[in-house]
Amino acid sequence: MSIEVKNVFKYYGEQAALNDVSFNINSGEIIGFLGPNGAGKSTMMKIITCFIPKSSGEVKVCGIDVEDDPIAVKRKVGYLPEHNPLYLDMYVKEYLSFVAGIYKIKNKKERVQEMISLVGLDKEQNKKIGALSKGYRQRVGLAQAIIHDPEVLILDEPTSGLDPNQLVDIRQLIIDIGKTKTVMLSTHIMQEVEAICDRVIIIKEGKIVADNTTEGIQHREQEKQTIFVEFDQVVSKNQLKQINGVTTVQNIEGNKWLFETTGDIRADIGKYAQQNNLLTLTMRLEEKSMEEVFKELTRN
Ligand code: ADP
Ligand code: MG
């Protein structure tokens, strides 16, 4: 197991930013840590990376307790903080050498060069970090996070503030790096989870509200379906309600209806139409996006 979090609480004064949080992350997984602003994502990540202490509970990284041996944990973990605090006056190469020095990396020069080409900073390596675009600064942030070849990568909103092209590049880079590491990345962008992650853990107000595979979470919510139907003639709402699996029926206009159902009951609706000499001009299962699933799980 790469990350074990058990019954963790974190209080800022009176406020519980984390309220009995538990989850496990297996080695090699890419996990999306999803939640609205203020949910507790950064707090959880800072605890895993030994930047702040928890109030209670247990956290282990690669089997090492964060309280017993924070230095050993930091050796295993690469961390890209939310507001990537880079030294803007340093040159890219100089900064990465400085970080390599902190980790006492042996072949410093080679390793820095290796990182520079891995994250695609060859052309920018002699520039000051302050002169780089946000996308390139994130590459520097990723390079510093992996320079000591950690087993686990913790990325706090790694794509926030990037333009669409940068976003695609950084996501691809995370996918590539993630092939050989355990990755936990926080985001509030649903498509990101779909694009990158094997599993998603959703947090809301300091509590875990879902923990499932990316497909599983969409599927689970899809037991509640929405089906749009247009008949060729007038039908009574009471009759439509009788169809097996219908939770609610709503008339949109004319002969257009919206069914809330348990499961995909299009065949039952079709059969009903046939038995009552109705034609279905349109029948459509409204697919739920990850975005809608997220909204359903995190709204009050
Ligand atoms: P997220 O990263 O999901 O947006 P955070 O972990 O940053 O959420 O914050 C969780 C909650 O804890 C928020 O209500 C936030 O205001 C509060 N919080 C975070 N850091 C501090 C702090 N240093 N002092 C007091 N409250 C904090
Ligand atoms: Mg945050």
Side-chain angles (χ1 to χ4, degrees):
M1 203 77 75
S2 277
I3 302 176
E4 294 159 84
V5 174
K6 220 190 276 173
N7 307 117
V8 167
F9 287 80
K10 173 69 185 180
Y11 290 95
Y12 292 115
E14 297 274 281
Q15 186 204 355
L18 296 175
N19 192 338
D20 203 8
V21 170
S22 301
F23 59 84
N24 290 317
I25 299 180
N26 295 312
S27 117
E29 279 188 300
I30 302 191
I31 299 289
F33 194 41
L34 200 61
N37 282 331
K41 303 182 295 298
S42 296
T43 299
M44 189 69 247
M45 292 180 141
K46 285 177 198 161
I47 292 171
I48 295 170
T49 52
C50 304
F51 274 80
I52 58 170
K54 55 191 153 47
S55 303
S56 64
E58 198 176 77
V59 176
K60 285 184 186 171
V61 179
C62 303
I64 309 161
D65 192 296
V66 293
E67 250 157 48
D68 289 351
D69 199 346
I71 292 176
V73 169
K74 284 190 181 185
R75 235 179 260 136
K76 298 270 185 197
V77 175
Y79 177 38
L80 178 63
E82 188 172 16
H83 305 290
N84 188 9
L86 299 168
Y87 297 96
L88 301 183
D89 275 333
M90 271 184 152
Y91 294 93
V92 171
K93 216 151 84 176
E94 180 193 12
Y95 172 69
L96 292 175
S97 301
F98 164 71
V99 177
I102 294 175
Y103 287 111
K104 302 191 172 71
I105 288 164
K106 282 191 199 92
N107 307 314
K108 213 161 86 173
K109 236 180 165 167
E110 288 82 8
R111 186 65 183 162
V112 167
Q113 215 53 53
E114 198 184 330
M115 289 303 104
I116 283 173
S117 52
L118 180 69
V119 302
L121 278 169
D122 300 277
K123 281 190 207 146
E124 325 289 329
Q125 59 179 298
N126 295 316
K127 288 188 183 167
K128 276 194 176 179
I129 292 171
L132 301 181
S133 68
K134 178 92 206 270
Y136 279 94
R137 285 185 201 185
Q138 285 303 72
R139 288 172 196 254
V140 179
L142 279 171
Q144 67 77 31
I146 58 177
I147 200 159
H148 57 301
D149 196 23
E151 283 174 44
V152 177
L153 254 190
I154 307 284
L155 310 174
D156 198 354
E157 308 218 12
T159 60
S160 83
L162 301 184
D163 74 31
N165 293 329
Q166 296 171 333
L167 202 94
V168 170
D169 291 347
I170 295 293
R171 278 184 193 162
Q172 191 53 51
L173 197 51
I174 294 170
I175 291 169
D176 292 343
I177 296 169
K179 283 178 186 148
T180 56
K181 299 193 188 298
T182 305
V183 181
M184 178 181 191
L185 87 116
S186 73
T187 177
H188 54 260
I189 308 166
M190 311 324 121
Q191 294 91 317
E192 193 137 288
V193 171
E194 286 172 295
I196 305 179
C197 304
D198 311 319
R199 208 174 99 205
V200 55
I201 297 174
I202 303 183
I203 186 168
K204 176 197 173 188
E205 292 168 5
K207 281 183 193 278
I208 304 296
V209 293
D211 180 347
N212 209 328
T213 58
T214 316
E215 293 92 47
I217 216 156
Q218 281 170 295
H219 188 78
R220 195 189 72 162
E221 287 306 301
Q222 272 166 9
E223 282 165 17
K224 284 184 265 163
Q225 297 280 8
T226 305
I227 299 169
F228 172 87
V229 185
E230 182 178 6
F231 296 109
D232 66 327
Q233 45 187 293
V234 178
V235 206
S236 96
K237 184 170 175 167
N238 280 334
Q239 274 193 319
L240 295 178
K241 269 193 192 158
Q242 305 302 317
I243 301 171
N244 229 339
V246 172
T247 321
T248 63
V249 193
Q250 187 193 336
N251 184 257
I252 297 175
E253 59 159 2
N255 302 321
K256 294 178 186 160
W257 299 87
L258 204 61
F259 292 80
E260 295 274 345
T261 65
T262 50
D264 180 1
I265 59 153
R266 280 176 296 176
D268 299 270
I269 296 173
K271 213 183 290 166
Y272 168 86
Q274 204 179 25
Q275 284 164 357
N276 293 276
N277 295 317
L278 296 165
L279 287 177
T280 52
L281 302 178
T282 316
M283 179 145 65
R284 187 173 65 229
L285 189 65
E286 308 285 3
E287 293 267 358
K288 267 186 206 155
S289 64
M290 198 72 192
E291 183 114 15
E292 286 166 286
V293 171
F294 173 74
K295 276 190 200 143
E296 273 173 30
L297 285 166
T298 58
R299 94 181 134 214
N300 287 317

